[in-house]
Amino acid sequence: MRRSPGTNVGSAGGMDALDPLIIRSLEARGRRRQLRRRQTYMIALLWRWSHELQRLEWTCSSAVERRDSLYKTLTSCIIKRHNLRKVNCINDCFYIWHSGHSSRINSFRLGRLPFQQVDLHEVNAALGEVVRLLSALQFKSPRFQLIHMGSYSKIQYDSFSLLPKRNFNQGLQTLATCIQVVNV
């Protein structure tokens, strides 16, 4: 039986009394659907936020691990630099020592004594090593120029050579002066 829009079917508890219940029921169903949609949206949002939080926590932990690794590398490099500052390459290239009255540089004796005869070639080689050492230390002087040539090394003073053909004692004094300049 079909009801027309303007007619009432039974006035004693008919459809008129049920209409508000049906309307409220339909409204409640609509609200439930809205709540389910909101709940689904909230669950999806919570799921997305949870994954984003996990991603950010992973990124943060990776950054912390990278920072710790770099800190350890930096600490290691600082220790290595500190140890390398203690190393003197000149000591490795030029072994200088003395025993008794004789001094040596790279196993060549520097000088001779009346009771200890040393071949003049060995003394010249030692003096050449001293000139090479001064060159390695980047000795610069406006008066002197060092010319390293092994046991035939030269010191030029005002454009003439002192060691090979001039007075040997004057050449040694000039070499000692050069060493003093480096020491200061």
Side-chain angles (χ1 to χ4, degrees), residues 102-105 107-111 116-119 122-123 126:
S102 68
S103 299
R104 295 176 181 250
I105 180 168
S107 75
F108 297 117
R109 289 180 278 190
L110 276 167
Q116 183 181 19
Q117 292 297 317
V118 178
D119 187 27
E122 185 176 352
V123 173

Side-chain angles (χ1 to χ4, degrees), residues 116-163:
Q116 183 181 19
Q117 292 297 317
V118 178
D119 187 27
L120 200 54
H121 294 293
E122 185 176 352
V123 173
N124 284 338
L127 292 173
E129 289 293 312
V130 170
V131 171
R132 188 168 68 126
L133 172 62
L134 289 174
S135 296
L137 294 174
Q138 297 180 348
F139 171 77
K140 301 281 187 223
S141 172
R143 293 175 32 196
F144 307 113
Q145 181 183 2
L146 302 175
I147 301 170
H148 178 260
M149 297 169 48
S151 62
Y152 298 101
S153 296
K154 299 178 183 179
I155 299 174
Q156 285 190 341
Y157 175 72
D158 292 334
S159 75
F160 67 89
S161 179
L162 290 176
L163 278 181

